[in-house]
């Protein structure tokens, strides 16, 4: 069987997911970030080993790639995830400006393995007043004063 580069990068992400099971470092998830044909970050999920619920493979890969490239803007990069990203990871991918997302297993496969990504997708589809975690807005005017200062700031780095 012949693999193209996309397949090779995805196989690397899947390998990282499998390594996590063997090492006990985290869940069965891996992610690889590539720019111009070069792997910039290749990591596994480390939620349980770091006690950090945000340490999903995609987020860890973004953090690593940003350190390596010394930027918060990953335009020009691609991410390969061993599983369809959860809403948090999808948001992080979008915020990082990664150009392309590829994934192997999907959210239903993750659910079969006991991961509740679908719950988060379902919750986000509901109006905020129907969600299990119902947000409450406080001190909007005071917060907007800070945004007004940001808008007026001439020496800022937009992102």
């Amino acid at each position: 069987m012949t693999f193209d580069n996309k397949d090779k990068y995805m196989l690397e992400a899947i390998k990282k997911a499998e390594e996590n099971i063997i090492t006990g470092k985290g869940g069965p998830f891996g992610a690889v970030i590539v720019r111009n044909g070069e792997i910039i970050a290749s990591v596994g999920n480390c939620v349980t080993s770091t006690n950090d619920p945000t340490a999903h493979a995609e987020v860890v890969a973004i953090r690593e790639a940003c350190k390596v490239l010394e930027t918060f803007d990953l335009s020009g990069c691609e991410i390969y995830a061993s599983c369809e990203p959860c809403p948090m990871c999808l948001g992080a991918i979008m915020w990082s400006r990664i150009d392309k997302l590829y994934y192997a297993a999907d959210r239903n496969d993750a659910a079969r393995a006991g991961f509740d990504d679908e719950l988060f997708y379902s919750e986000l589809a509901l109006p905020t007043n129907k969600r299990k975690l119902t947000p409450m807005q406080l001190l909007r005017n005071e917060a907007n004063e800070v945004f007004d200062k940001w808008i007026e700031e001439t020496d800022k780095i937009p992102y």
Side-chain angles (χ1 to χ4, degrees):
M1 180 182 252
T2 305
F3 295 110
D4 69 8
N5 283 340
K6 287 180 179 53
D7 292 334
K8 289 177 185 175
Y9 302 139
M10 187 59 75
L11 285 170
E12 175 68 15
I14 293 167
K15 180 179 109 180
K16 288 297 182 180
E18 187 174 21
E19 284 175 6
N20 260 11
I21 296 169
I22 295 165
T23 63
K25 186 177 177 184
F29 303 95
V32 171
I33 294 180
V34 176
R35 184 176 75 172
N36 298 328
E38 178 186 352
I39 293 177
I40 305 300
S42 177
V43 302
N45 167 305
C46 56
V47 169
T48 57
S49 63
T50 61
N51 294 317
D52 179 354
T54 68
H56 290 199
E58 299 90 337
V59 172
V60 175
I62 289 167
R63 291 172 183 163
E64 177 70 19
C66 288
K67 283 181 192 171
V68 168
L69 299 174
E70 298 180 335
T71 183
F72 56 82
D73 184 342
L74 297 178
S75 296
C77 293
E78 303 172 343
I79 188 165
Y80 296 80
S82 65
C83 186
E84 179 180 8
C86 74
M88 176 187 70
C89 292
L90 184 58
I93 291 164
M94 294 170 72
W95 271 110
S96 70
R97 309 296 193 248
I98 287 175
D99 292 343
K100 293 188 181 195
L101 161 64
Y102 302 96
Y103 65 88
D106 66 21
R107 65 179 87 168
N108 299 309
D109 300 319
R112 184 179 63 78
F115 294 92
D116 54 5
D117 298 33
E118 185 56 41
L119 168 69
F120 299 112
Y121 278 104
S122 298
E123 282 289 305
L124 288 172
L126 296 173
T128 54
N129 65 341
K130 301 286 185 190
R131 295 179 189 164
K132 291 178 184 168
L133 178 62
T134 306
M136 296 181 65
Q137 189 173 28
L138 301 171
L139 302 176
R140 180 178 180 202
N141 291 337
E142 290 79 358
N144 271 308
E145 289 175 13
V146 176
F147 281 129
D148 291 340
K149 288 179 182 175
W150 172 258
I151 291 166
E152 294 169 8
E153 179 63 45
T154 57
D155 186 28
K156 62 185 171 192
I157 300 172
Y159 61 98

